[in-house]
Amino acid sequence: MKAIGIILAGGNNSRMQELSNKRAIAAMPVGGSYRSIDFALSNMSNSHIQTVAVLTQYSARSLNEHLSSSKWWDFGRKQGGLFVFNPTVTVDNSWWYRGTADAIYQNINFIDNFDPDHIIVLSGDQICTMDYDKMLQYHKEKDADCTISVLNVTYEEAKRFGIMNTDEDERIYEFEEKPAEPKSTKASMGIYIFKWKLIRQYLIDDGNDPESEHDFGKNIIPRMLEDGRKMYAYSFDGYWRDVGTIDSLWEANMELLDENPQIDLNDDKMRIYTRNFSLPPHFVAPGASVKNSILADGCVIEGEVENCVIHSGVKIGKGSVVKNSVIMKDTVVRTDCQIDKALIDEEVVILQDIFIFKEQCTVNIFRFLSTFWSFIRCSKSVCFTNFIIPNLFIYFNKLYNI
């Protein structure tokens, strides 16, 4: 077998606050109909990588439900299949995944069963359309031990990334993690291709090293460089966004509404697939208004929507005005509300006459919890709102400057 795909979807991220308390980052809603992991899975399918393993860990229930059938991404078991693995406690192993490298180390036997020549490793929280087969061909042409996809960023942005320094032939000679003075602007995208037999031994050695953090960026990649392995950078010039923060998630949704979006969800050659809930088409009522927005199936719009991403099953009441916002699945906005620049989680009910608006370009977030509503405060944000805890009325009228 030429290659199998490994998608790392088990990381925990406190930067997403309440949004990630009950779901993995890879299960974050994006673009009205999708979860962030759909982009990695669809890229695998479009690149003819037919055997894919998803390694989950934290808050995995929502993600596991989303991945309950491989048919949405066309991973047939006769050709390979889609496999989902949580950490497993055994006689020999009582650990959760201790890092990105350890997650694969704990599933070595699964990979060995397929005996691939190469493995493609990436995270499940990246928004991009990329042909991994082209990267694999480049990897083979270079006879590389490891190939790392890189994105050319600005000098200032390079200070926030892992940077690959290369020679004229794109061979990597140095890796710098968030350098204060970058020597290049080639930022790692966290997409790797390895020769399996070689990386297998590195994973075993790392798994038995008590001093290691068991991480590709911190341990495996530097160790391979120290050993003089043939490591190359593969330059990618398309759209790429890591949705690991609240701001980046909101921005990734908003960028889909640009006049000429950098990522085309209508590209037949790189189609993005997802789980189908078989909902009815969206409905825009007489007198309602929708401008420059994405509406998913099952939406009912009776008010005014402008420059928004509206996920499936959302209802916007008569007289309500929603602008520059992302509203997730099955949320209800009742009558005469005013909402601007908000990110509203799934299954929220916003009662009538509520005002949620922006201040100084920040995002307000509402999250539905099992027994109450909660308001998550972002830096320098203003929220004037009423909302209900069962049998209790609460009013916020305060400037939060965190």
Side-chain angles (χ1 to χ4, degrees), residues 16 21 47 105 109 114 126 138 140 175 204 212 278 298 323 345 363 383 396:
M16 298 297 283
N21 275 5
S47 303
Y105 169 65
N109 290 339
F114 290 93
Q126 302 177 2
Y138 174 90
K140 291 178 179 179
F175 170 69
I204 292 171
S212 176
S278 299
K323 297 182 178 181
D345 205 344
V363 181
C383 178
F396 279 100

Side-chain angles (χ1 to χ4, degrees), residues 297-315:
D297 290 348
C299 294
V300 177
I301 310 298
E302 296 178 330
E304 179 182 336
V305 174
E306 182 177 350
N307 204 47
C308 291
V309 176
I310 309 296
H311 288 70
S312 59
V314 170
K315 294 177 173 58

Side-chain angles (χ1 to χ4, degrees), residues 27 59 72 96 109 120 199 263 269 327 345 364 369:
S59 303
W72 308 120
W96 279 45
N109 290 339
I120 303 172
I199 195 61
I263 183 169
K269 294 181 180 179
I327 301 184
D345 205 344
N364 300 317
L369 302 181

Side-chain angles (χ1 to χ4, degrees), residues 155 158-159 163 165 174 176-184:
Y155 182 81
K159 298 176 182 180
I163 297 299
N165 298 322
E174 185 180 25
E176 296 181 290
E177 181 65 29
K178 298 180 181 178
E181 297 182 1
K183 298 176 184 176
S184 82

Side-chain angles (χ1 to χ4, degrees), residues 280-301:
H282 68 260
F283 174 71
V284 180
S289 171
V290 177
K291 299 178 181 178
N292 192 42
S293 296
I294 293 173
L295 303 182
D297 290 348
C299 294
V300 177
I301 310 298

Side-chain angles (χ1 to χ4, degrees), residues 134-148:
K134 290 182 179 179
M135 182 177 172
L136 182 59
Q137 293 306 314
Y138 174 90
H139 173 80
K140 291 178 179 179
E141 289 169 5
K142 294 292 188 181
D143 190 29
D145 296 319
C146 169
T147 300
I148 302 172

